[in-house]
Amino acid sequence: MSNINSKWRDVPQEVYRKWAMIFYDSQEGINLSASCPICDQNTLHCYYLPTRKQERVIDSRKYVARGDLWQWCSSCHCYVHASASVPEWWSCSLNIDSTQLRHEPDVLENALHKMK
C-alpha cells in the first residue's frame, strides 16, 4: 500500500489486469518497451530481487528462485511490490544496495537515473 505522503501510488484497479499482463508477457529485463496502461509513456520498469533458490515450472515457464518484485512507471509513479517467483531469464546489472530497498521503488528509480 502506498504511503499517503509519497509520490508513488498503487496501480488503479481498473487497469491492474492490463498492467499485470504487460509485465507477464515481457522478458526484456529492467526496462520494458511497452507503454504504461495508465499514462501511455514508455517508462515501465521491472526488478526482481531473488531471496531464496526455488526451481519450479509454472505454465511451461521456468522459475529459479523466490523473491521480491517491483513493477513501476517512472512517469505516473504507479507501482506494484510483491513476493514473486523469479523467472529463469531475469538478469540485471543495476547497481543497488539491496539492504536499502523498501516497498516503494525509490532506490531502484534513483539507480536507473544514475545509469543514464
Side-chain angles (χ1 to χ4, degrees):
M1 173 145 316
S2 301
N3 178 333
I4 198 158
N5 296 320
S6 173
K7 67 180 177 183
W8 298 102
R9 61 191 180 105
D10 294 331
V11 173
Q13 193 62 39
E14 62 272 15
V15 296
Y16 186 83
R17 183 169 170 75
K18 186 172 184 180
W19 172 283
M21 290 309 300
I22 288 169
F23 285 94
Y24 181 78
D25 290 341
S26 174
Q27 293 187 13
E28 297 173 278
I30 196 158
N31 298 311
L32 280 69
S33 60
S35 60
C36 176
I38 299 152
C39 70
D40 204 35
Q41 298 299 306
N42 290 88
T43 53
L44 290 176
H45 308 287
C46 175
Y47 186 82
Y48 290 93
L49 177 66
T51 55
R52 72 177 192 276
K53 187 173 176 138
Q54 183 184 63
E55 292 191 10
R56 60 197 300 187
V57 175
I58 304 170
D59 295 332
S60 302
R61 295 175 182 227
K62 186 172 182 184
Y63 296 89
V64 295
R66 286 292 295 172
D68 291 307
L69 163 67
W70 287 264
Q71 300 169 337
W72 74 100
C73 177
S74 297
S75 298
C76 67
H77 301 111
C78 286
Y79 82 105
V80 169
H81 175 238
S83 177
S85 294
V86 180
E88 178 181 48
W89 57 262
W90 172 254
S91 70
C92 180
S93 60
L94 194 62
N95 187 14
I96 59 154
D97 176 357
S98 62
T99 65
Q100 299 299 308
L101 288 172
R102 301 293 180 261
H103 194 275
E104 295 174 341
D106 287 310
V107 170
L108 297 165
E109 182 72 9
N110 291 339
L112 274 177
H113 287 292
K114 290 178 184 174
M115 275 180 58
K116 293 179 181 177

